[in-house]
Amino acid sequence: MIINYLLNYKIIKNNTCGFPECALNKVINEIEKVKISYVVQEMGNIIERKNYKKLNKYYEILEKAKRNLDINERLDNLIEKIYKLPPNKFLYVMEKLEEVFYEQQ
């Protein structure tokens, strides 16, 4: 979930993200920027480890990631429902959304 939040990698299942091995350094750099402790394992062997101890921001970033995931799931759900609307209601919803956006500017 945190990797999704930081790098926008797709969540596969059970709140896990997969990414190509060639992206490992990029992932580690992003995790280190926000000071999250981590362990990198390959075939059960620890390759790299970083422990920020009291500076570890894991739970803080996890809460942000959870909120972000909830927002994205709600948005995806709304978009799916909007696309299923009859044309006249679809246009009505789009116009209302545009009004809100233009009011913000």
Side-chain angles (χ1 to χ4, degrees):
M1 190 179 309
I2 289 176
I3 302 299
N4 167 262
Y5 174 70
L6 295 175
L7 294 155
N8 206 29
Y9 284 115
K10 185 177 181 182
I11 293 179
I12 304 167
K13 60 180 178 179
N14 298 326
N15 291 327
T16 59
C17 282
F19 54 88
E21 188 176 339
C22 63
L24 181 59
N25 286 334
K26 178 181 176 182
V27 171
I28 289 172
N29 288 337
E30 290 300 315
I31 289 172
E32 287 181 347
K33 280 183 192 175
V34 294
K35 297 202 179 346
I36 295 176
S37 298
Y38 64 90
V39 174
V40 178
Q41 293 184 348
E42 184 176 314
M43 306 292 280
N45 298 317
I46 295 174
I47 297 172
E48 192 170 345
R49 176 190 312 233
K50 182 79 170 195
N51 187 349
Y52 286 101
K53 299 179 181 169
K54 291 183 179 182
L55 297 176
N56 186 19
K57 304 271 181 163
Y58 174 80
Y59 292 107
E60 178 184 329
I61 302 299
L62 179 62
E63 287 306 311
K64 289 179 181 180
K66 285 179 181 178
R67 285 192 302 272
N68 186 65
L69 182 61
D70 178 58
I71 288 168
N72 286 334
E73 286 174 349
R74 290 170 59 196
L75 184 58
D76 289 344
N77 189 23
L78 283 171
I79 290 170
E80 186 178 319
K81 287 179 179 181
I82 290 170
Y83 277 126
K84 291 179 180 178
L85 289 172
N88 61 330
K89 287 189 177 183
F90 178 88
L91 290 174
Y92 175 78
V93 170
M94 293 299 291
E95 288 170 359
K96 291 298 177 187
L97 286 171
E98 289 169 344
E99 283 177 23
V100 171
F101 291 130
Y102 293 131
E103 287 174 4
Q104 298 297 318
Q105 295 178 351

